[in-house]
């Protein structure tokens, strides 16, 4: 193998490892967030006005 091929192969393998690890970290973070209830979106209730005040 030439030196260029060795470098390109090394960078390619490094990129694949970093990308795979990044996807694992993001998916693990989402799972932990769901377990802790962080980042949940509440469904909008059309019968309830969230901006209404009760000050009379």
């Amino acid at each position: 193998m030439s030196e260029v091929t060795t470098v390109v192969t090394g960078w390619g393998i490094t990129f694949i490892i970093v990308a795979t690890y990044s996807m694992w970290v993001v998916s693990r973070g989402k799972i932990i967030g769901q377990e802790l209830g962080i980042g949940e979106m509440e469904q909008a209730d059309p019968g309830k006005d969230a901006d209404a005040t009760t000050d009379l």
Side-chain angles (χ1 to χ4, degrees), residues 28-47:
R28 184 70 183 137
K30 287 181 180 181
I31 291 169
I32 291 172
Q34 289 174 350
E35 290 175 357
L36 296 176
I38 298 171
E40 291 180 350
M41 299 285 292
E42 291 185 17
Q43 295 294 327
D45 185 6

Side-chain angles (χ1 to χ4, degrees), residues 20-34:
T20 303
Y21 179 70
S22 299
M23 289 187 296
W24 178 81
V25 167
V26 169
S27 67
R28 184 70 183 137
K30 287 181 180 181
I31 291 169
I32 291 172
Q34 289 174 350

